Amino acid sequence: MSNVSMHGTTILAVRKNGMVCVGGDGQVSLGQTVVKGDARKVRRMAGGKVIAGFAGATADAFTLLERLEAKLEQYPDQLTRACVELAKDWRTDRYLRRLEAMMIVADKGVTLTLSGAGDVLEPEFGVAGIGSGGDYARSAARALIEETELSAEEIVGKAMAIAASVCVYTNDSLTLETIVS
């Protein structure tokens, strides 16, 4: 089974009118088989002040979530600094460098995308997407954010439904978490 790649995550974040919503689908696939349909890939951290969504290998993502939680304890209420410190470790630590995952994190003030290449990116237009269907969801959200009066949470729900209808590695079993500033 080591030659079979795992797919199956779409994570989307939308920031609009003082609200940020991060949503993730529940599908996990091994090769061409769906092995789980209701995985929870979006979590609250730092006493509910931060939302994190992950894409990639599950064990790797959990390791990164634990490391991020530690950085948030070290730098409370400083999401950007905690993420930059995590990205430094991720890029330079021999063990962490091998982790295959990406994350979207958000608090009341900022949304960031993190990668193992050391990227800590604040998305344009308040929309970020990662994972198998991330580009589909992000594109749909960009259209909805500019052309409708829908809330951030409504946009995430609709954009994720569009991604699920296009990407075979994305389903419509959603987890949504929202922070209002």
Side-chain angles (χ1 to χ4, degrees):
M1 285 221 166
S2 61
N3 293 334
V4 178
S5 62
M6 290 192 78
H7 298 279
T9 301
T10 299
I11 304 294
L12 177 66
V14 172
R15 182 175 295 276
K16 183 178 180 184
N17 297 334
M19 175 188 292
V20 64
C21 180
V22 179
D25 78 310
Q27 182 167 310
V28 177
S29 304
L30 184 58
Q32 296 181 7
T33 304
V34 175
V35 293
K36 185 168 178 68
D38 62 350
R40 186 169 166 80
K41 304 169 199 168
V42 176
R43 296 190 169 26
R44 286 189 173 269
M45 307 173 78
K49 295 179 184 177
V50 173
I51 303 169
F54 62 85
T58 306
D60 294 353
F62 284 138
T63 298
L64 291 168
L65 288 171
E66 289 173 6
R67 296 284 180 121
L68 178 58
E69 189 80 58
K71 294 295 182 187
L72 289 167
E73 288 174 11
Q74 188 176 358
Y75 305 105
D77 300 321
Q78 298 179 62
L79 180 60
T80 302
R81 175 132 188 232
C83 289
V84 167
E85 295 300 322
L86 174 64
K88 284 181 194 176
D89 292 350
W90 194 354
R91 186 176 167 114
T92 59
D93 182 272
R94 175 180 270 181
Y95 169 73
L96 294 178
R97 259 196 323 253
R98 296 183 181 158
L99 301 182
E100 296 180 15
M102 288 185 75
M103 294 174 33
I104 291 177
V105 296
D107 66 6
K108 66 181 181 179
V110 68
T111 302
L112 301 167
T113 302
L114 286 72
S115 80
D119 299 315
V120 179
L121 304 170
E122 187 170 2
E124 287 185 307
F125 310 106
V127 179
I130 59 172
S132 304
D135 288 337
Y136 304 118
R138 185 171 42 87
S139 296
R142 285 270 315 272
L144 291 167
I145 204 168
E146 293 175 10
E147 300 298 326
T148 69
E149 294 302 317
L150 297 174
S151 71
E153 191 171 280
E154 291 168 321
I155 291 170
V156 169
K158 288 186 179 295
M160 291 292 289
I162 291 168
S165 74
V166 177
C167 178
V168 297
Y169 297 113
T170 303
N171 70 11
D172 59 2
S173 175
L174 301 180
T175 301
L176 302 176
E177 294 286 349
T178 304
I179 296 174
V180 178
S181 46

